[in-house]
Amino acid sequence: MPIYNAPLADMKFILNDVFNAEQFWQANEKLAHVDAATAEAILEEMAKFAQNVTLPLNRTGDEEGAHYENGKVTTPAGFKEAFQQYAEGGWIGLGADEEWGGQAMPKMLTVLADEMLFATNPSFMLYPLLSVGAGMALNSYASQEQKETYLPKIYSGEWSGTMCLTEPHAGTDLGIIKTKAEPNEDGSYNITGTKIFITGGDHDLAENIIHLVLAKTPNAPAGSRGISLFIVPKFIVNADGSLGDRNTAGPGSIEHKMGIKASATCVMNFDAAKGYLVGKENEGLAAMFVMMNYERLSMGIQGLGASEYAYQNAAQYATDRLQGRSANGVQSPNKPADSILVHGDVRRMLLNARANNEASRAFAVYVGQQLDITKFSTDAEAIAKANNRVALLTPIAKAYLTDTAFDAVIDAQMVFGGHGFIREWGMEQCVRDLRIAQIYEGTNGVQSQDLIGRKTIKCNGEFIAEYIAEIRDFANDLDTDLNFIKDATLDVATEVDMITQHILERAKENADFANAAAVDYLHAVGLLSFSYMFARIANAAKNKDGQFYQDKLALTHYFIQRVLPDLHARIAKIKAGAEVLMNFSEDYFTTQA
Ligand SMILES: Cc1cc2nc3c(=O)[nH]c(=O)nc-3n(C[C@H](O)[C@H](O)[C@H](O)COP(=O)(O)OP(=O)(O)OC[C@H]3O[C@@H](n4cnc5c(N)ncnc54)[C@H](O)[C@@H]3O)c2cc1C
């Protein structure tokens, strides 16, 4: 059975030492109810839930999968009870406003709680995750009456939420969706269309499901400017809040897929289903983006959780597995062979994963802090700056954290040799379950387009320039005993600054340049972000006694010497330009040899 021990010491180090979270919370009136002791107690409780409840259901959930029968979806054995326990523990509303029954905890903290659940059972985690995302979109754009009707029930777990965007012919390009919304005289709409790939579209965990559906009203402008957002409940909610008739919205089937098999991915049919407009007509995409941006950061946390889980199991296996002898002579003469930990290549794989976990965790908390500033600060300038930072870093959080996590999970699987490929050790499930994180919520390729296009070229590099300025300020203030990370971070900042200018120039000359450069640019900005995180980690660890802190510094050295050099390859690929791709004719891809 795979193991998982919540990395509480690392989490507390990031919150307390790296980000001085308590000081940040106490300085803000709206967060003053949170202190380090409260945060630690929450993390410890979540660790128990993850280790004792969701971890044991991970493999059984994968093997049993979600079921579809007679128009109804049921979740694997144990999921219903676990969801009830999760809801009763108040976890769904951990970060939600108190007004709606939430606990108003900062994002800096909730990302760490989410990490543990994603590590131990990503399929399970997706059910409450979609509820929280739907709650956030409603909180930002719904009417007061809609908030009062839906939010308390969503955060209590009595009802759940979904996000219905994708259609068979429209995934990345939502401007071409066909789902229609016809207005009724009573102010409601009839929603008709088919959505596919809807996570948690139907299940048996909650008594009602609140679908947030994108659709087009008659005469809506073409493209994404003509999209509206609707609440479509599975059961119509009566005026007194009780459940009324079954709505004509339901699952047509569930997908049979590579991983996250316990998460029901549904084809949803809306047959003149009753829907209620959220916000204004044709402004639905902005509302949906509240949900999508939340989910995108969460996908990065899915990556982090999987990478931590894979690392822990691989490190344990490497300690126990005896194969070959050390190049420096026999290390364990009383055993038939040395542990595979004596081999440099095995260490490379483990340290790649470990470096990824520590930098990703710090980065998730950093982005969480920026989100907390946007939500809780009263300083307009600080809010505007944090908004720009969140806009810039959301695609990094989604795509870079899942790309690096997938590499880490593959490395961890390789540590097991052939045993990584068979079920028993849990690694093949981990790989299968994580792959989707690079695909859904907008593929990582499309996230990269967002970074290079909307978040960089469109603002003439302003967002990245502000970020680089902050990183330079931080690095320049480091003590001389941290010159190794200071110099590395300043160098990366210069390289990313220069390649950004290069992109801004060449994108003017060649319309294909940015699209072809996007993924490599995302990885370059990701490496800059990880350097910044390691600079912060090293700064927090320096001058502190104990192996725990020495290890942080040693891992920082590892990152600089064995991970960061990838930057040069990324930059070379960006400079190679688009012609080398675009010069192939379409026939080259379509003509069979
Ligand atoms: C298990 C699962 C759960 C999901 N859950 C949900 C959900 O709850 N709600 C929901 O609405 N959807 C959901 N989805 C859908 C998911 O978000 C989409 O599949 C994803 O966004 C990609 O869209 P697509 O599949 O249509 O691919 P396409 O858009 O057809 O893309 C195909 C390829 O082309 C590339 N591409 C497309 N446009 C560009 C461009 N402009 N530049 C460069 N490359 C481009 C893409 O990167 C990709 O590699 C889920 C999908 C799965 C598999």
Side-chain angles (χ1 to χ4, degrees):
M1 161 112 176
I3 56 155
Y4 176 74
N5 295 305
L8 291 173
D10 284 338
M11 290 179 168
K12 291 175 191 175
F13 168 73
I14 296 286
L15 274 183
N16 300 334
D17 300 303
V18 176
F19 287 97
N20 295 321
E22 186 175 66
Q23 212 181 332
F24 171 75
W25 296 329
Q26 297 293 307
N28 187 313
E29 204 185 318
K30 293 185 199 158
L31 285 172
H33 59 287
V34 198
D35 57 19
T38 310
E40 289 181 13
I42 288 173
L43 293 178
E44 280 159 20
E45 279 310 305
M46 177 51 98
K48 285 185 210 152
F49 185 82
Q51 289 163 187
N52 301 331
V53 181
T54 44
L55 180 66
L57 294 175
N58 195 34
R59 172 133 174 226
T60 54
D62 177 58
E63 286 177 349
E64 187 185 336
H67 309 269
Y68 174 81
E69 213 177 329
N70 299 328
K72 280 190 180 166
V73 177
T74 46
T75 52
F79 270 51
K80 203 168 174 176
E81 294 74 16
F83 187 81
Q84 205 172 348
Q85 201 179 330
Y86 188 77
E88 281 166 5
W91 293 111
I92 299 172
L94 188 64
D97 294 348
E98 280 170 321
E99 188 184 0
W100 310 120
Q103 298 190 47
M105 286 298 144
K107 192 78 189 165
M108 288 175 84
L109 177 63
T110 62
V111 292
L112 296 174
D114 289 353
E115 178 195 326
M116 295 186 243
L117 220 53
F118 268 128
T120 49
N121 200 323
S123 286
F124 177 86
M125 176 56 177
L126 289 173
Y127 292 104
L129 185 83
L130 267 294
S131 294
V132 175
M136 286 178 79
L138 292 177
N139 201 17
S140 304
Y141 282 87
S143 67
Q144 183 67 15
E145 193 188 340
Q146 288 173 331
K147 288 183 198 178
E148 284 168 10
T149 305
Y150 297 105
L151 289 180
K153 298 270 190 186
I154 286 177
Y155 291 128
S156 68
E158 287 161 87
W159 300 352
S160 70
T162 73
M163 178 175 79
C164 301
L165 286 65
T166 307
E167 298 181 8
H169 67 291
T172 303
D173 187 358
L174 292 172
I176 57 173
I177 60 167
K178 290 182 183 158
T179 300
K180 292 272 171 244
E182 303 277 350
N184 295 317
E185 279 180 6
D186 65 358
S188 68
Y189 290 74
N190 281 355
I191 311 293
T192 304
T194 298
K195 298 284 179 181
I196 60 164
F197 298 161
I198 303 307
T199 301
D202 195 51
H203 54 73
D204 54 357
L205 303 178
E207 62 181 19
N208 201 6
I209 303 178
I210 311 306
H211 304 291
L212 293 193
V213 183
L214 290 184
K216 292 200 162 193
T217 53
N219 308 319
S224 56
R225 291 210 181 107
I227 298 177
S228 305
L229 178 65
F230 298 88
I231 293 169
V232 183
K234 176 175 173 179
F235 289 96
I236 308 280
V237 181
N238 296 322
D240 64 358
S242 61
L243 295 187
D245 292 343
R246 179 76 160 83
N247 207 349
T248 46
S253 61
I254 57 172
E255 304 295 349
H256 300 281
K257 51 197 196 293
M258 173 179 176
I260 54 163
K261 291 178 186 235
S263 166
T265 309
C266 303
V267 173
M268 295 296 296
N269 296 322
F270 298 88
D271 186 8
K274 186 141 316 258
Y276 310 96
L277 182 68
V278 178
K280 294 188 183 143
E281 271 190 23
N282 302 327
E283 293 183 11
L285 212 51
M288 201 47 127
F289 258 105
V290 173
M291 184 167 188
M292 284 195 277
N293 282 335
Y294 166 75
E295 308 289 352
R296 284 174 180 176
L297 172 59
S298 299
M299 296 336 7
I301 313 294
Q302 178 177 359
L304 165 60
S307 180
E308 174 68 34
Y309 170 83
Y311 166 78
Q312 287 188 17
N313 282 282
Q316 172 76 58
Y317 185 83
T319 312
D320 299 338
R321 179 70 172 171
L322 308 179
Q323 289 294 295
R325 290 294 186 190
S326 162
N328 287 312
V330 173
Q331 302 292 305
S332 304
N334 53 348
K335 293 188 177 160
D338 291 333
S339 119
I340 59 172
L341 265 182
V342 301
H343 307 306
D345 190 55
V346 172
R347 286 173 176 240
R348 172 188 66 78
M349 295 188 278
L350 292 172
L351 288 168
N352 279 350
R354 185 75 186 246
N356 177 61
N357 298 346
E358 305 224 356
S360 295
R361 186 172 297 117
F363 185 72
V365 171
Y366 174 77
V367 178
Q369 186 175 40
Q370 299 299 315
L371 282 164
D372 288 335
I373 294 169
T374 64
K375 184 170 174 189
F376 298 110
S377 175
T378 48
D379 176 344
E381 203 181 314
I383 293 173
K385 210 171 135 202
N387 269 324
N388 290 353
R389 192 60 43 79
V390 170
L392 178 78
L393 297 184
T394 298
I396 306 288
K398 196 278 174 178
Y400 188 66
L401 261 58
T402 54
D403 276 358
T404 57
F406 194 72
D407 289 348
V409 164
I410 293 285
D411 269 342
Q413 184 189 31
M414 184 61 96
V415 168
F416 284 79
H419 300 272
F421 196 70
I422 59 159
R423 285 226 139 169
E424 187 184 349
W425 297 90
M427 285 302 106
E428 60 84 40
Q429 185 192 342
C430 187
V431 171
R432 285 189 288 106
D433 283 353
L434 182 57
R435 184 67 173 110
I436 186 61
Q438 295 173 295
I439 298 170
Y440 57 15
E441 286 309 324
T443 63
N444 285 2
V446 168
Q447 298 300 318
S448 308
Q449 301 304 329
D450 181 42
L451 174 72
I452 203 166
R454 286 179 54 229
K455 311 294 174 56
T456 305
I457 295 173
K458 196 172 170 200
C459 66
N460 200 28
E462 185 194 331
F463 293 177
I464 186 81
E466 285 173 359
Y467 185 42
I468 288 173
E470 174 183 312
I471 294 171
R472 283 191 172 128
D473 284 350
F474 185 86
N476 280 322
D477 282 348
L478 291 172
D479 290 348
T480 48
D481 53 351
L482 290 180
N483 272 349
F484 67 101
I485 181 69
K486 173 181 179 163
D487 294 346
T489 305
L490 288 173
D491 284 351
V492 192
T494 301
E495 299 267 8
V496 172
D497 198 1
M498 281 165 48
I499 200 64
T500 304
Q501 297 311 317
H502 183 91
I503 289 167
L504 293 175
E505 283 309 310
R506 287 189 65 185
K508 287 181 204 152
E509 296 158 13
N510 181 341
D512 288 320
F513 183 83
N515 203 299
V519 166
D520 293 303
Y521 184 60
L522 181 126
H523 276 254
V525 180
L527 285 163
L528 170 69
S529 301
F530 275 19
S531 301
Y532 181 31
M533 293 305 115
F534 269 113
R536 296 187 76 138
I537 287 169
N539 192 44
K542 77 171 183 351
N543 302 335
K544 289 205 172 79
D545 289 334
Q547 195 60 44
F548 180 83
Y549 300 105
Q550 293 309 309
D551 290 342
K552 302 289 175 213
L553 294 168
L555 197 64
T556 304
H557 277 287
Y558 179 84
F559 171 78
I560 293 170
Q561 290 168 45
R562 296 296 302 237
V563 181
L564 198 49
D566 288 348
L567 180 73
H568 300 121
R570 296 289 177 183
I571 287 174
K573 290 186 212 181
I574 294 169
K575 287 185 175 166
E579 291 80 1
V580 71
L581 309 167
M582 304 313 285
N583 284 347
F584 287 94
S585 73
E586 287 204 7
D587 287 350
Y588 179 80
F589 300 101
T590 53
T591 311
Q592 301 298 319

